[in-house]
């Protein structure tokens, strides 16, 4: 009797997810991550420097529009650091979401010809996004170091810096979860793709990226803002490095619960869609 190294069986139900199989394909995950990085850098003059140009230009625009013209408070912290902090952590979510939200559409040819756990592809997008985040975070730390060592009292780092991996993980979970839900829905409803860029931009303004929670007067608007699961992450990140902002274990726990639920639902929906998406894409 012949023995096979791999047996491919049809999925019986939406909860039939073989995480052991995904782990077995970790070498393929590494290959996709490497491919994504090489594709970005290929035929570019400045290479990874482009990842720094974007937050620099965005920060300068925010300093002029929201800092000088609108005169929105930054809780007494240097404007450049306040905006860079928000942009850096937010960009990782938006990058993860935008990349995973087109998984089925961009990889239909591969999915239709070769078998491998489909979740490997969005996992690779989120993992490769860490490279871009690392470059932007390094730039943030350079500017941060300047104010920390030359401007006494400008920033007040504290113990919660140790929670940085938690903030990154939660943003990755949100990006992956919402992205795979979105890509699953767009296999049937193509017009949802028009909401991709607009939706992320709208969500950014609904989150405390360019303004602190302290600028919102107590009331219904502030209550709604605090229900946004991104609020504790953004405020916590700024609080850790700048000393301004709001930190609460309860709020962070709330974000973690929401991120876990969204990721779990995303995996279930993605897993259900992958069984017959090739007929509709």
């Amino acid at each position: 009797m012949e023995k096979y190294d791999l047996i491919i069986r049809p999925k019986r139900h939406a909860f039939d997810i073989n995480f052991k199989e995904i782990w077995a394909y970790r070498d393929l995950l590494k290959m996709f991550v490497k491919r994504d990085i090489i594709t970005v850098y290929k035929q570019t003059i400045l290479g990874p420097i482009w990842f720094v140009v974007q937050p620099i230009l965005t920060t300068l625009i925010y300093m002029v529009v929201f800092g000088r013209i609108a005169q929105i408070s930054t809780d007494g912290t240097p404007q450049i650091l306040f905006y860079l902090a928000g942009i850096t952590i937010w960009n990782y979510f938006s990058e993860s979401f935008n990349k995973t939200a087109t998984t089925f559409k961009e990889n239909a040819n591969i999915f239709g010809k070769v078998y491998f756990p489909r979740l490997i592809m969005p996992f690779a997008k989120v993992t490769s996004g860490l490279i871009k985040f690392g470059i932007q975070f390094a730039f943030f730390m350079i500017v941060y170091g300047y104010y920390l060592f030359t401007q006494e009292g400008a920033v007040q780092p504290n113990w919660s810096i140790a929670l940085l991996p938690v903030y990154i993980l939660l943003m990755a979970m949100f990006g992956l979860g919402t992205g795979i839900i979105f890509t699953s829905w767009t296999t049937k409803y193509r017009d949802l793709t028009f909401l991709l860029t607009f939706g992320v931009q709208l969500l950014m303004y609904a989150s405390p990226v360019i303004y602190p929670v302290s600028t919102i007067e107590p009331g219904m608007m502030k209550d709604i803002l605090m229900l946004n699961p991104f609020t504790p992450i953004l405020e916590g990140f700024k609080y850790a490095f700048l000393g301004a902002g709001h930190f609460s274990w309860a709020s962070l726990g709330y974000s973690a619960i929401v991120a876990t639920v969204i990721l779990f639902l995303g995996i279930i929906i993605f897993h259900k869609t992958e069984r017959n998406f090739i007929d509709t894409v």
Side-chain angles (χ1 to χ4, degrees):
M1 182 177 178
E2 293 186 43
K3 293 184 178 180
Y4 298 93
D5 295 329
L6 176 64
I7 300 175
I8 302 175
R9 295 187 177 94
K11 304 296 189 292
R12 293 169 301 210
H13 50 77
F15 294 92
D16 184 17
I17 304 173
N18 191 345
F19 289 102
K20 184 178 180 180
E21 183 184 44
I22 296 174
W23 174 251
Y25 277 80
R26 59 188 180 277
D27 289 336
L28 182 62
L29 172 66
K30 296 177 183 177
M31 188 191 74
F32 280 136
V33 171
K34 184 178 179 180
R35 183 200 65 173
D36 291 341
I37 296 172
I38 293 175
T39 301
V40 172
Y41 292 158
K42 190 176 182 181
Q43 294 181 327
T44 60
I45 298 175
L46 300 180
I49 295 179
W50 285 114
F51 290 155
V52 178
V53 173
Q54 186 263 341
I56 290 176
L57 294 179
T58 304
T59 299
L60 291 176
I61 292 173
Y62 287 171
M63 289 176 65
V64 173
V65 176
F66 300 105
R68 293 292 182 86
I69 299 177
Q71 296 185 348
I72 296 177
S73 170
T74 57
D75 277 347
T77 61
Q79 288 184 356
I80 186 172
L81 280 180
F82 183 86
Y83 295 128
L84 264 181
I87 292 170
T88 300
I89 191 69
W90 178 260
N91 277 354
Y92 180 50
F93 160 75
S94 62
E95 177 80 5
S96 299
F97 173 75
N98 287 326
K99 295 295 184 182
T100 56
T102 56
T103 299
F104 283 132
K105 180 181 177 182
E106 292 185 352
N107 300 282
N109 291 334
I110 299 177
F111 288 169
K113 296 177 182 178
V114 183
Y115 174 79
F116 60 90
R118 308 310 188 202
L119 277 171
I120 288 289
M121 194 66 75
F123 280 151
K125 297 296 183 182
V126 173
T127 305
S128 61
L130 284 172
I131 306 299
K132 181 176 181 179
F133 171 78
I135 295 172
Q136 294 183 350
F137 182 73
F139 175 71
F140 166 73
M141 289 304 297
I142 291 173
V143 179
Y144 180 79
Y146 168 78
Y147 280 93
L148 180 64
F149 296 111
T150 64
Q151 308 289 327
E152 185 177 354
V155 293
Q156 299 175 7
N158 53 73
W159 64 269
S160 61
I161 287 180
L163 294 175
L164 176 61
V166 176
Y167 297 137
I168 297 173
L169 176 62
L170 290 178
M171 280 303 197
M173 292 171 66
F174 275 118
L176 179 61
T178 54
I180 59 181
I181 290 175
F182 197 89
T183 193
S184 299
W185 286 346
T186 52
T187 58
K188 293 183 63 176
Y189 310 106
R190 301 292 182 85
D191 53 346
L192 287 177
T193 55
F194 297 112
L195 296 176
L196 187 59
T197 304
F198 171 73
V200 174
Q201 195 72 18
L202 193 63
L203 184 58
M204 188 195 76
Y205 289 117
S207 305
V209 177
I210 55 178
Y211 56 86
V213 172
S214 60
T215 60
I216 310 298
E217 295 292 333
M220 185 178 68
M221 290 302 298
K222 190 166 186 176
D223 292 338
I224 294 175
L225 181 63
M226 295 307 296
L227 287 175
N228 182 345
F230 291 103
T231 297
I233 303 173
L234 293 163
E235 285 288 291
F237 184 84
K238 293 174 183 176
Y239 175 79
F241 289 92
L242 308 180
H246 172 75
F247 174 80
S248 166
W249 284 111
S251 298
L252 187 61
Y254 163 73
S255 293
I257 292 173
V258 175
T260 303
V261 171
I262 289 178
L263 180 58
F264 178 75
L265 290 176
I267 292 175
I268 298 300
I269 295 172
F270 184 93
H271 182 67
K272 184 178 180 180
T273 303
E274 70 167 313
R275 291 185 292 179
N276 55 13
F277 88 97
I278 202 67
D279 299 325
T280 56
V281 173

